[in-house]
Amino acid sequence: MAGSCTLPLSYKIQNSFVPSLCISKASPAFPMRTSTQFPSRFLTHACFKSKSTTLSVSAAGTSFTWDDVLRISQPESLPDDPSDISGFFQKVKICNRGSEKQSEFLPFVIEDEIVGYLHNGFAQHLKRFKDVFFFPRDDSYGGRIGAHVTLHPMLGKPEDRTGAVGDVVKCLGEELIPGIRNEAYGVQMNGYIERNGQKLLWIGKRSQGKATYPGMLDQLVAGGLPHGIACGENLVKECEEEAGIPRSIANEAIPVGAVSYMDIDGYRYKRDVLFCYDLKLPESFRPENQDGEVDSFKLIPARHVANVIRRTQFFKPNCSLVIIDFLFRHGYMKPEHFGYLDLLQSLRSGDCS
């Protein structure tokens, strides 16, 4: 093995394996400080035009106020057609980039199961770690360049595999792997109340200190799914940490399905599955963040939240998918809307295997 790196097989991490060596890059959603009229790059429809309405964003391209959100959420703020769901399709597309680049990746196989994919360019760096990675020359797993990646047969136990791969990650360093997020699965919850016959969603605004998507809008509760914890229990934990929801209320959350997507960006290949939950909250409830990851919350009518998603890029991209799913299930999407079935199907574009 090149360099001074050694890979002791006794090194242990709680996760059973690293599903893929993914380079995670924060993607700025907005330009630098500017004040602009609708339409702008913050909006999703080129046909939206209003000379009287302006929107300001600042700092690292992700700073906007609740006033901006509430203003653009109003039906009368832009002369668009509520039945036009093309803005929702654009949000799905943002989460499903790069499908034409799948041929650049090798299947990463553990115990005859594909657990992830490695870019061929990055895989070249792993070939020097011969006591960790093995590159069989066959297409048994659909590798389009006649190979796949697996781990050395001596790494028989999950903790040995994880430890060895973990040491490779540390050895390669930040220059080659600027970030790893081991969150192929997650839980996301729509928290809402009912008032006068309409549903209102609690929306969070992410802390500016977040490493990814700082300052953007988010579900009331969301988080990655760690190894060794069930979805329901993880959701209860996230409810307390992110919104101060006590277990007695969080246990009432209803599992309602999942959304999935596949996103390729450079050497990163994300195959995410988000398990979705709905929680009807008492009207008197007020969320309070406990872990510093959420700056503030706002209660917004679901129809107005739909406008924000259609018209802007204020939401963290995958959160838009979860809310679009909510809109379908609660009757805000109509079969008469052009593209209804295509949009419904697109919410599960990813590989859930």
Side-chain angles (χ1 to χ4, degrees):
M1 185 178 306
S4 59
C5 296
T6 59
L7 302 173
L9 300 187
S10 60
Y11 183 81
K12 296 183 180 181
I13 301 177
Q14 290 299 313
N15 294 338
S16 60
F17 56 80
V18 177
S20 60
L21 295 177
C22 301
I23 296 179
S24 179
K25 300 176 182 176
S27 301
F30 309 100
M32 299 301 288
R33 180 171 182 86
T34 181
S35 178
T36 182
Q37 298 176 340
F38 298 136
S40 75
R41 70 190 73 188
F42 321 116
L43 306 185
T44 58
H45 288 70
C47 62
F48 291 162
K49 294 183 180 179
S50 172
K51 295 183 178 179
S52 61
T53 310
T54 59
L55 175 66
S56 296
V57 294
S58 61
T62 56
S63 183
F64 54 88
T65 70
W66 282 116
D67 285 342
D68 295 325
V69 174
L70 296 178
R71 185 185 316 137
I72 200 169
S73 74
Q74 300 299 315
E76 64 275 11
S77 68
L78 288 172
D80 60 330
D81 180 359
S83 68
D84 179 5
I85 60 176
S86 58
F88 297 132
F89 276 107
Q90 291 177 12
K91 300 310 180 295
V92 174
K93 185 177 180 179
I94 289 171
C95 290
N96 289 276
R97 301 171 299 173
S99 59
E100 72 280 1
K101 299 179 181 179
Q102 283 182 274
S103 61
E104 299 176 9
F105 290 79
L106 300 172
F108 184 27
V109 179
I110 303 292
E111 294 184 350
D112 298 324
E113 295 286 341
I114 297 176
V115 297
Y117 290 84
L118 293 169
H119 192 275
N120 185 51
F122 181 74
Q124 302 306 311
H125 296 287
L126 304 181
K127 289 185 175 180
R128 62 188 174 102
F129 300 98
K130 299 184 183 299
D131 54 349
V132 178
F133 293 99
F134 185 53
F135 292 79
R137 296 295 302 178
D138 66 70
D139 57 0
S140 303
Y141 298 94
R144 296 184 178 143
I145 54 177
H148 65 274
V149 186
T150 188
L151 295 178
H152 196 283
M154 289 182 59
L155 301 170
K157 297 179 180 180
E159 56 267 30
D160 291 342
R161 300 169 192 155
T162 300
V165 173
D167 277 353
V168 170
V169 170
K170 290 191 294 185
C171 184
L172 292 177
E174 285 291 312
E175 182 176 352
L176 287 177
I177 312 178
I180 268 197
R181 291 183 66 81
N182 191 8
E183 296 181 357
Y185 294 92
V187 294
Q188 300 220 26
M189 189 189 80
N190 297 295
Y192 70 97
I193 69 166
E194 287 189 301
R195 179 189 295 161
N196 300 325
Q198 72 168 331
K199 294 180 173 67
L200 295 88
L201 284 162
W202 278 107
I203 301 299
K205 195 169 188 298
R206 293 162 68 88
S207 166
Q208 289 289 352
K210 288 283 289 182
T212 57
Y213 305 104
M216 297 187 74
L217 301 184
D218 207 330
Q219 252 76 45
L220 176 62
V221 171
L225 183 63
H227 173 70
I229 182 171
C231 286
E233 184 59 30
N234 187 48
L235 183 73
V236 170
K237 175 182 73 70
E238 295 287 349
C239 279
E240 171 60 30
E241 292 175 357
E242 297 203 345
I245 302 173
R247 177 177 289 268
S248 59
I249 295 179
N251 281 332
E252 300 299 316
I254 300 172
V256 292
V259 301
S260 63
Y261 56 92
M262 182 203 74
D263 182 49
I264 295 176
D265 180 18
Y267 281 13
R268 186 188 66 179
Y269 188 158
K270 286 170 62 68
R271 301 183 303 155
D272 284 2
V273 177
L274 306 177
F275 296 102
C276 303
Y277 290 77
D278 285 354
L279 176 61
K280 184 178 178 180
L281 291 158
E283 193 167 342
S284 59
F285 175 77
R286 297 292 181 271
E288 294 184 10
N289 180 247
Q290 308 296 311
D291 61 6
E293 294 190 358
V294 182
D295 178 72
S296 55
F297 298 95
K298 188 70 71 174
L299 188 63
I300 304 175
R303 292 186 187 277
H304 294 187
V305 174
N307 287 337
V308 175
I309 293 175
R310 286 194 305 115
R311 297 169 172 174
T312 78
Q313 295 186 46
F314 286 172
F315 272 94
K316 179 173 175 280
N318 61 7
C319 297
S320 293
L321 305 191
V322 177
I323 295 178
I324 294 170
D325 180 69
F326 178 93
L327 297 172
F328 269 106
R329 293 184 289 98
H330 290 267
Y332 293 95
M333 298 290 192
K334 308 292 185 185
E336 293 79 9
H337 293 167
F338 182 76
Y340 177 92
L341 289 177
D342 288 337
L343 181 60
L344 180 63
Q345 184 179 30
S346 72
L347 296 176
R348 292 154 189 88
S349 301
D351 179 4
C352 295
S353 61

